[in-house]
């Protein structure tokens, strides 16, 4: 239903946010109902763009009163289909997409606490710039930074390339403000490092993927920025060799800033996309990117002369070298519709699973490429399978089986979304699922928030 003449909710929401911010034009809505990977599409009743917490609360109350499902959306960079409503709707019909991008609160950095409060619509890149301008570093960084919002980062508990230093998004949050499914507002933004008063609702909302309410703002912990670093790229035969380098090559006392892997399929994909050269002397099945905080001296790493290594210290060279890793998502996307699997593997099985995945589709003529990259220091693989149709989940299932057989997790950092909702029981026990379901039912008894996300 897109016509305001027949949908009374359009007028109700327009009175809250202004008619310019209730979108029913299918051409304008198109970008809100297809995800970044272009694998997941859906349809929406309308898109509503509130600009304040009060407006979000009023929108939520109006939708709940009308029995209308709501789908929170930030930058729409999520990679598990959770950012867009699905095509299949229950009796309640297509959801209203609630875009949080206009929630642009950005407080001055609290220099004493080393914290900042920002609105859910602030992009990760803008938060990082804001913190840097005040002499601080925000602990999460990822390649989707220019579009991904802080609300989305919180809702997915985003990880990224600095988890080995600072932890995931949950570790950066000291408080949250959110509109709950009944339209009430919880605001816990005092920034207390210590606050043991009952259940930790902040932690509960982080990673809830829009299913328990709308995050409108957060109080975030900042860090002193790291010193000058050295970045090296090293050719390796397998993940075990890379893990041994991470364990043994870093001089004691020197901080590791990142340890990332790219396989040769991903290397060739980004080289083709950006016309980049092969950066090492010899071909290797995998490349390790290792960054350490050593003042740029190169003395933070003890590397055997026999290794095939290239180093960067100059910021432009560092950026160029990072591009091989940061461009992986785009590079695989340029090859076709990508089945993206983001998984966690116990370290002792990492090398075997990575190698196994690379040959797991040798029997399938429809699979044109299989690539593996990811965050080595966190045991987090990103596996890309190109070729199968968007709705063919057999490739996803084959990878997830390999992962769960060794006690891994079907989602390391991207969340469950719609992609992995059918498989949640593969790595969560019936008791865990029942406890999670009880929380969902208690907070959102009508099941109006982000239908299809986490829960099928
Ligand atoms: C190139 C690229 C690289 C990436 N690299 C990484 C990476 O290294 N690590 C990583 O973890 N992720 C990565 N991602 C995935 C993505 O950027 C993150 O999941 C990000 O946190 C999503 O933010 P978003 O604002 O785009 O959220 P969206 O995609 O809009 O939404 C994601 C989920 O959060 C919910 N949501 C969004 N905003 C709110 C809100 N305010 N309140 C409640 N729920 C909300 C949505 O309903 C949805 O379920 C990458 C993506 C891209 C495109």
């Amino acid at each position: 239903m897109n016509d305001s003449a027949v949908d009374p909710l359009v007028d109700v929401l327009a009175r809250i946010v202004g008619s310019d911010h209730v979108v029913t034009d299918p051409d304008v809505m198109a970008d809100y109902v297809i995800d970044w990977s272009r694998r997941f599409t859906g349809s929406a009743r309308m898109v509503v763009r509130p600009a304040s917490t009060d407006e979000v609360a009023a929108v939520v109350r109006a939708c709940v009163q009308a029995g209308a499902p709501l789908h929170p959306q930030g930058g729409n960079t999520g990679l598990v289909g959770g950012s867009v409503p699905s095509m299949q709707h229950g009796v309640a019909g297509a959801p209203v997409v609630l875009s949080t991008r206009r929630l642009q609160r950005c407080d001055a950095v609290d220099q004493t606490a080393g914290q900042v409060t920002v609105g859910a619509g602030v992009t990760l890149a803008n938060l990082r710039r804001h913190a840097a301008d005040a002499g601080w570093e925000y602990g999460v960084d990822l390649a989707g930074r220019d579009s991904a919002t802080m609300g989305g980062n919180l809702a997915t508990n985003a990880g990224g390339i600095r988890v080995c230093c600072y932890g995931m998004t949950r570790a950066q949050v000291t408080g949250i403000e959110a509109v709950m499914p009944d339209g009430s507002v919880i605001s816990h933004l005092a920034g207390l490092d210590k606050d043991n008063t009952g259940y930790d609702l902040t932690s509960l909302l982080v990673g809830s993927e829009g299913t328990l309410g709308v995050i409108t703002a957060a109080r975030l912990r900042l860090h002193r920025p790291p010193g000058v670093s050295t970045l090296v790229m090293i050719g390796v035969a397998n993940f075990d060799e890379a893990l041994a380098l991470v364990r043994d090559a870093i001089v004691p006392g020197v901080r590791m800033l990142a340890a990332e892997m790219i396989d040769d399929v991903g290397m060739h994909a980004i080289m083709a996309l950006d016309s980049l050269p092969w950066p090492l002397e010899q071909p290797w099945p995998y490349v390790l990117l290792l960054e350490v905080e050593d003042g740029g001296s190169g003395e933070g790493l003890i590397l055997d002369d026999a290794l095939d290594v290239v180093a960067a210290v100059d910021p432009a060279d560092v950026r160029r070298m990072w591009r091989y890793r940061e461009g992986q998502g785009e590079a695989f996307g340029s090859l076709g519709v990508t089945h993206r699997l983001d998984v966690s593997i116990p370290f002792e099985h990492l090398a075997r699973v990575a190698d196994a995945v690379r040959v797991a589709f040798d029997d399938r003529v429809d699979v044109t490429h299989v690539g593996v990259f990811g965050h080595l220091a966190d045991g987090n693989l990103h596996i890309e399978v190109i070729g199968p149709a968007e709705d063919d989940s057999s490739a996803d299932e084959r990878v997830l089986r390999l992962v769960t057989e060794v006690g891994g997790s079907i989602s390391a950092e991207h969340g469950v979304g719609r992609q992995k909702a059918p498989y949640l029981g593969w790595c969560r026990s019936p008791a865990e699922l029942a406890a999670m379901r009880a929380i969902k039912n208690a907070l959102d008894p009508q099941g109006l928030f982000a239908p299809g996300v986490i829960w099928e």
Side-chain angles (χ1 to χ4, degrees), residues 153-173:
N153 272 209
L154 289 149
T156 59
N157 187 25
I161 56 181
R162 298 288 184 218
V163 172
C164 60
C165 296
Y166 304 116
M168 305 220 353
T169 297
R170 187 174 277 116
Q172 321 305 320
V173 187

Side-chain angles (χ1 to χ4, degrees), residues 378-397:
D378 317 326
N380 178 186
L381 299 183
H382 294 320
I383 296 153
E384 314 272 307
V385 183
I386 321 274
E390 285 92 331
D391 59 355
D392 177 358
S393 52
S394 62
D396 307 47
E397 285 175 18

Side-chain angles (χ1 to χ4, degrees), residues 59-142:
V59 165
V60 167
R61 282 193 291 268
C63 288
V64 170
Q65 198 174 10
L70 270 166
H71 206 107
Q73 187 185 84
N76 197 8
T77 66
L79 297 174
V80 286
S83 51
V84 291
S86 81
M87 279 297 188
Q88 313 297 327
H89 310 297
V91 284
V96 172
V97 170
L98 192 160
S99 170
T100 58
R101 287 182 223 174
R102 291 178 69 224
L103 299 173
Q104 289 292 325
R105 172 177 178 181
C106 196
D107 289 8
V109 169
D110 179 336
Q111 293 286 350
T112 308
Q115 298 182 7
V116 66
T117 301
V118 292
V122 172
T123 63
L124 174 60
N126 282 343
L127 165 68
R128 291 183 58 76
R129 260 192 297 275
H130 182 59
D133 288 349
W136 295 85
E137 162 103 343
Y138 177 62
V140 168
D141 196 13
L142 47 89

Side-chain angles (χ1 to χ4, degrees), residues 20 30 89 110 175 211 296 307 316 328 389 400 404 407:
D20 286 353
H89 310 297
D110 179 336
T211 62
L307 288 169
Q328 287 298 296
L400 298 182
T404 49

